[in-house]
Amino acid sequence: MQVVILAGGLGTRLRAITGDTPKSLVEINGRALLDYQLEQVALAGLRNVLLLTGQGGNQIAEFCGDGTKWGLFICRVQEALPCGTAGAVLQAIDHLESRFLLLYGDVIFDIDIPRMEAFHRAHSADATLLVHPNDHPHDSDLIEMDHEHRVRKLYVSPHPPCVSLPNLVNAGAYIIERVALAGLKSTLPPRPDFCRHIFPLLLARGTRVMGYRSPEYIRDAGTPARLEKVGSDLFSGCVSSRSLRNITPAIFLDRDGTLIEGRGHIGRPEDVYLLPGTADAIARLNTSHYRTAVITNQPVIARGECDEAMLHRIHNRLESLLGAQGAYLDAIYACPHHPDAGYPGERIELKIACECRKPGIALIEQAQRELHLDLARSWFIGDSSADIMAAQRVGVRSILVQTGEAGRDGKWQCQPDIICRSIVEAVDHILNLDQSRSVLQTAEDVKQLAGTL
Ligand SMILES: [Zn+2]
């Protein structure tokens, strides 16, 4: 696969800091932005890079040379006049390989590119967009996908008020089959953009556009504030720690009675109410080294009280409520099954004894594979004995919260590691424990160091 980088950005919003330096050569912690990008490309084992340059193209050419420094082969196409992100790609179409990864020139990322390409192949996609939840979905371009990961709609910001949109943001990294771009040029406005023009056109044509949901770090550095943010994230190690190449602990979360009020079975988005303090607690996890994954039993589907599309809308609502308060979930896994058949309106194909209904562990194992999780360092927070039992079966420490069922269901005989009043207290407990461990570790290090002096 070839890598195409849109390096024609003028960096107008950064001019106060960078003067006439092209955006790709802006320095972050003493290194050019493009240097970080090319390092990632090389790390992924890719070799062929095409730079699409505009103003400042010669400076970029001078910086990169032929790419030997990174073990890459770098070519460059210079645009005569600014022609928009998609315009630059279409202009260079004769230089594109049959499949390419397109990256914006102002993003800092650490993504497992081979994993994304494997997804693209497995779904026979014509185009795959990397999407992720973020802490400001209200002013981001959002993607609506169906439960088979197919992109159905794009919402360019600003969004209509009072609509529950998914917290799935277009991150600006696409794998595209060149053939999908054939015949587009004549139908586009001047200076076309991928999100506003190309992808809506592809969707209208019925092209297979997929969304690849990733918890990894990818953020643009296009304004002074964002530049500062990615600089500090690179420095703190939070860019690389979120990469799917690295194994990471997770906080598994039950949904009803733990995150949201468990008023019977929730069958409509309007019935979703966050429990007090939930968004704050999740936001704290989002800035820690834990990934977050919801694991929920939703027998409402098997009983025919709610279908998959409605469940999707319920989860959009949950993500919207969290997103409005700067919090997000890395993934949501739901079991639609139920073991006992014989009720009116039920869906007989879902009335099975499955492996994914908690205390079954199939969804936890799926999360472990998809999010590359270290279960031994993970926690499960839930309100029922099925949550605690599932956690114990996979060797994950468990916290029973005294909201929702508060463990009174008594279906499974098991003891949680800890009991907390709510998710807020549970998250406090986990993060404080880590904090005191690291203080202890530092004290140990100091003692050892003192011993060697
Ligand atoms: Zn199931």
Side-chain angles (χ1 to χ4, degrees):
M1 185 168 67
Q2 180 189 31
V3 177
V4 178
I5 299 177
L6 289 160
L10 295 172
T12 319
R13 289 178 295 177
L14 291 173
R15 189 151 285 165
I17 303 175
T18 60
D20 285 334
T21 310
K23 200 151 48 170
S24 285
L25 297 185
V26 164
E27 288 209 350
I28 305 176
N29 302 344
R31 286 173 59 193
L33 205 165
L34 185 58
D35 187 18
Y36 289 102
Q37 295 189 320
L38 295 174
E39 181 186 66
Q40 283 294 316
V41 170
L43 199 62
L46 299 171
R47 289 290 166 260
N48 293 342
V49 177
L50 177 66
L51 297 177
L52 303 179
T53 57
Q55 207 175 324
N58 290 336
Q59 281 169 270
I60 292 176
E62 205 172 305
F63 175 76
C64 296
D66 61 0
T68 312
K69 185 177 159 195
W70 298 270
L72 302 170
F73 304 107
I74 297 182
C75 298
R76 186 168 73 93
V77 171
Q78 172 73 25
E79 65 181 3
L81 287 167
C83 52
T85 53
V89 173
L90 291 172
Q91 213 170 62
I93 201 150
D94 294 337
H95 300 269
L96 300 177
E97 290 179 11
S98 59
R99 177 181 298 156
F100 60 95
L101 169 69
L102 181 67
L103 296 164
Y104 285 75
D106 62 354
V107 294
I108 283 292
F109 60 90
D110 191 332
I111 53 181
D112 187 340
I113 298 171
R115 195 185 263 254
M116 182 177 173
E117 192 186 4
F119 172 94
H120 177 83
R121 275 177 204 273
H123 290 81
S124 308
D126 295 307
T128 296
L129 284 63
L130 192 146
V131 297
H132 62 177
N134 76 5
D135 55 9
H136 55 96
H138 50 279
D139 63 359
S140 304
D141 292 341
L142 302 176
I143 306 292
E144 174 95 62
M145 303 191 308
D146 64 19
H147 60 282
E148 290 170 325
H149 310 283
R150 194 152 175 183
V151 174
R152 292 299 175 190
K153 207 167 171 188
L154 288 101
Y155 301 88
V156 177
S157 93
H159 308 297
C162 310
V163 180
S164 286
L165 296 173
N167 185 353
L168 277 184
V169 175
N170 172 22
Y174 318 130
I175 295 179
I176 300 175
E177 300 292 313
R178 186 187 57 203
V179 66
L181 301 179
L184 283 181
K185 214 169 176 178
S186 56
T187 56
L188 292 167
R191 306 191 63 179
D193 173 83
F194 271 94
C195 214
R196 284 170 197 274
H197 307 111
I198 299 281
F199 292 129
L201 251 175
L202 294 182
L203 292 182
R205 278 180 169 188
T207 306
R208 273 183 78 78
V209 181
M210 309 302 290
Y212 171 69
R213 183 172 177 146
S214 164
E216 295 167 298
Y217 191 99
I218 172 163
R219 233 176 216 270
D220 82 86
T223 66
R226 292 180 197 162
L227 188 67
E228 197 184 316
K229 173 77 179 133
V230 297
S232 72
D233 289 344
L234 280 165
F235 187 75
S236 72
C238 112
V239 177
S240 57
S241 74
R242 300 199 72 78
S243 172
L244 283 171
R245 278 197 307 271
N246 300 323
I247 190 162
T248 308
I251 307 299
F252 295 104
L253 298 155
D254 170 54
R255 197 192 80 177
D256 305 351
T258 303
L259 293 180
I260 63 180
E261 289 182 20
R263 298 177 169 178
H265 286 292
I266 291 159
R268 305 177 310 166
E270 305 87 282
D271 298 335
V272 176
Y273 295 94
L274 291 178
L275 285 165
T278 296
D280 264 0
I282 304 291
R284 292 182 66 203
L285 292 177
N286 294 150
T287 56
S288 75
H289 61 294
Y290 290 102
R291 300 199 205 279
T292 52
V294 168
I295 308 282
T296 178
N297 289 350
Q298 289 304 320
V300 281
I301 309 277
R303 287 203 295 262
E305 292 163 17
C306 163
D307 61 13
E308 283 87 348
M310 184 62 86
L311 184 66
H312 199 68
R313 286 181 50 210
I314 290 169
H315 288 161
N316 284 355
R317 175 77 182 149
L318 170 60
E319 295 201 302
S320 286
L321 291 173
L322 290 172
Q325 295 184 64
Y328 61 87
L329 300 161
D330 286 317
I332 300 177
Y333 298 92
C335 160
H337 307 112
H338 194 259
D340 309 325
Y343 298 88
E346 68 186 14
R347 284 169 59 184
I348 202 74
E349 78 280 12
L350 297 176
K351 285 288 189 174
I352 54 166
C354 64
E355 301 286 320
C356 52
R357 180 176 164 81
K358 293 175 289 186
I361 57 169
L363 293 180
I364 298 178
E365 289 179 335
Q366 186 184 347
Q368 182 188 20
R369 282 193 305 277
E370 292 181 352
L371 301 173
H372 200 186
L373 302 177
D374 180 357
L375 296 185
R377 289 191 293 141
S378 298
W379 293 83
F380 201 121
I381 304 175
D383 70 322
S384 78
S385 61
D387 296 320
I388 307 307
M389 191 70 175
Q392 287 183 357
R393 285 180 172 169
V394 286
V396 167
R397 290 165 293 175
S398 60
I399 298 183
L400 179 75
V401 286
Q402 292 178 306
T403 48
E405 298 268 13
R408 289 185 295 257
D409 61 291
K411 282 187 198 152
W412 307 91
Q413 284 308 310
C414 51
Q415 287 300 317
D417 291 297
I418 293 160
I419 297 176
C420 289
R421 270 179 300 193
S422 66
I423 183 170
V424 178
E425 206 179 278
V427 167
D428 275 348
H429 181 87
I430 293 167
L431 297 181
N432 288 342
L433 203 66
D434 287 354
Q435 180 93 37
S436 51
R437 278 222 182 93
S438 84
V439 169
L440 211 66
Q441 193 63 49
T442 313
E444 274 300 312
D445 292 346
V446 170
K447 230 160 78 183
Q448 264 189 11
L449 193 65
T452 58
L453 289 176

